[in-house]
Amino acid sequence: MFQTDLLSSQTILVTGGGSGLGRAMAERFGALGARVGVLGRRVEPLEETVAAIRAAGGTAACASADVRDPHGVHLAIDAIEAELGPVNGLVNNAAGNFLSAAEDLSPNAFDSVVRIVLHGTFHTTQDVGKRMIERGTGGTMLSIVTTYAWMGSAFVLPSACAKAGVLAMTRSLAVEWACYGIRNNAIAPGPFPTEGAFSRLMAGDIEEQAKKQIPLGRFGEPGELANLAAYMMSPGAAYMTGECVVLDGGEWLRAGQEFSRYTEYPREAVKQVFGAMRPRK
Ligand code: COA
């Protein structure tokens, strides 16, 4: 689908690049010629991502930091730049989430998720942004949000608030930093089966039910998100900024559509019902 040197002009930092969607994106970027830095809390999974990228012939490095800690983030980016050179691409993928009734959340529980998702995205974005501005190189930023960044969601209140904030950050900086040649975009995935997300969010038979709500009839595959991310990070998307692209098999539109329930029945039966309802002349 892409030329293998699509991202060869880029050094891309992926937060949360040790697992799940972050790892899928990091590996794809590496295969497309980017030098890839992965940042996260635990070193082991980061090293696995680096090893996988190198084994496929790519160039990668990792550094550990908690995105909630701005100084730690700064030092980790310094370490990655020492190995890979100046970072000119950033993917904000690190996140935290869990299911809880809002009335049961402790202040610290709310704070933990918001500090990872919203503050963490600010820390990496500002740190990398300052480097891009000082060097005059411009760059490309992409944040992974969610379809409930617009409409909110029951039982994931801190995440919904934080992701809405990240979307606002994306659009704000798309305008404010355009003069520096920095693009800022987002992807809003629906459900993608990764261990990190599904072990925390899909309880009981909710997973099967969730699949049925997706018009395309299945969950997304991490490689499909990596494809979109690669395009959005690439020079081919140079005119795209402030955009949030939904990648959810049609899930969120279906949820809001008044008459989408008719899609749950066999189409021929639905057509017969519609025909029977039609006024006779
Ligand atoms: N329900 C309710 N509260 C919870 C919770 C849950 N499932 N999990 C954690 N908390 C609360 C804790 O009780 C604590 O609050 P307290 O101090 O008032 O008791 C607070 O959240 C922080 O928990 P802690 O485990 O100390 O935080 P942490 O910084 O180690 O972990 C989380 C952060 C909670 C977001 C953890 O789920 C995490 O590390 N997630 C990262 C990966 C992830 O979520 N991936 C999915 C992305 S979709």
Side-chain angles (χ1 to χ4, degrees), residues 208-217 248-252 254-255 264:
E208 265 318 297
Q209 282 186 37
K211 202 180 284 178
K212 287 188 193 138
Q213 305 301 312
I214 300 172
L216 288 180
D248 73 343
E251 184 197 37
W252 88 296
R254 181 190 187 281
E264 290 168 26

Side-chain angles (χ1 to χ4, degrees), residues 41 68 95-100 106 108-109 112-113 116 196-197 200:
R41 268 186 297 177
R68 289 173 283 196
N97 203 0
F98 53 74
L99 291 167
S100 175
S106 70
N108 193 34
S112 294
V113 172
I116 294 170
R200 289 179 171 86

